[in-house]
Amino acid sequence: MPHRRRDNFGFTLIELVVVLTIITIALGMAAPSLRGWSDGAKLRDATDQFIATTQYARNQAVLSASEHRITIDSSSTAYALERQSGTTSEALAGDWGQPAELPVHFSIQIISGGENGAIVFYPDARSAPAVVRITSARGEIIDIASAFPAAPFARLEATP
């Protein structure tokens, strides 16, 4: 009786181990470069959130016909939007009135402009020109600025 040969279309255990070893080595080499990706995304998100807050402050100043200000507390890495009533400031109702905290080990500071640690938004849609810097835990920097009173705040640059 003739002997029939069986065709096996599977992988051997040795082939699987070799492939898994190659994948593990490749991931081990790529992991350090992926670590900074999340900090960069958090930095961009924090920047976008700050710019949105400046736009909201400008709109609310015009709508309510009263000054609004974003107060930046560099020591606690937070900023807050407030409505100016005469000589006193009051927090806005809702989420916009809550202090916005940056991610852990991030910092925010006014580099130039502003008034006494705050950016003021006036009822005529002007604001105090300022440059604000947000720095990530890894030292990446994004500057946000309004070059002149009628200009909106926008991202200037990102440096490694």
Side-chain angles (χ1 to χ4, degrees):
M1 185 165 181
H3 183 54
R4 291 182 53 193
R5 184 176 154 208
R6 281 190 333 174
D7 289 328
N8 290 333
F9 293 107
F11 296 104
T12 65
L13 182 60
I14 293 175
E15 290 171 330
L16 289 174
V17 168
V18 168
V19 169
L20 289 176
T21 303
I22 292 171
I23 291 172
T24 302
I25 291 170
L27 286 175
M29 290 171 35
S33 65
L34 294 176
R35 212 175 326 167
W37 177 80
S38 118
D39 275 352
K42 288 179 185 176
L43 181 60
R44 286 186 299 278
D45 289 346
T47 302
D48 292 343
Q49 181 181 1
F50 184 81
I51 291 171
T53 303
T54 63
Q55 292 168 345
Y56 185 77
R58 184 182 303 271
N59 291 339
Q60 288 302 306
V62 171
L63 289 173
S64 67
S66 62
E67 289 183 7
H68 282 63
R69 61 179 55 231
I70 297 176
T71 305
I72 296 176
D73 183 3
S74 300
S75 63
S76 69
T77 67
Y79 58 92
L81 176 58
E82 302 168 340
R83 180 177 180 206
Q84 189 74 22
S85 298
T87 58
T88 61
S89 295
E90 60 185 35
L92 298 181
D95 290 340
W96 289 102
Q98 302 299 316
E101 292 282 336
L102 294 178
V104 177
H105 303 300
F106 278 46
S107 66
I108 184 168
Q109 58 185 334
I110 296 178
I111 299 300
S112 67
E115 297 177 7
N116 299 326
I119 302 168
V120 180
F121 296 87
Y122 302 101
D124 61 358
R126 293 179 306 115
S127 65
V131 178
V132 175
R133 176 169 288 167
I134 299 178
T135 307
S136 76
R138 294 173 45 109
E140 297 168 306
I141 295 170
I142 293 184
D143 289 338
I144 305 160
S146 172
F148 52 92
F153 280 81
R155 184 179 302 156
L156 287 182
E157 61 186 84
T159 58

